[in-house]
Amino acid sequence: MQIALILADDHPWRTEARAVGHVVLDGSLSDLTGLARVPVDALLLDASELVMADLEAVRSYRVARPDTRIVASVPAEAKPGDPIAAGLVALGVYDLSTGSLNQALAYQATFADA
């Protein structure tokens, strides 16, 4: 599995990702434009690091790579209606997780789950 990481430096998914697949990018949202040229199986995002303006970069990536699975780690304290989580769902990112990466990847969420 080819994986791209847009995660905080201390995010626990960093270690798990290397055990699950091959990390082809470990970067920031500014790297998404270039990443759109490279096929990856999964893009892992840290939603706690995103602001509303960042959703445009995610939208552009989603349009360029509609088949890439985007999995977002959301803070445990996030509530339904959280603007970042809601924005991700509006972009078709239904894999929102507060757990481990293995838990997040074990089940591919749908709109009903989000």
Side-chain angles (χ1 to χ4, degrees), residues 3 13 16-18 20 44 71 97 99-106:
I3 301 172
W13 283 9
E16 293 177 70
R18 285 167 177 40
V20 171
L44 308 181
V71 182
S97 177
S100 73
L101 179 57
N102 287 330
Q103 290 170 331
L105 294 176

Side-chain angles (χ1 to χ4, degrees), residues 10-24:
D10 60 346
H11 198 284
W13 283 9
R14 288 183 166 283
T15 305
E16 293 177 70
R18 285 167 177 40
V20 171
H22 177 68
V23 176
V24 296

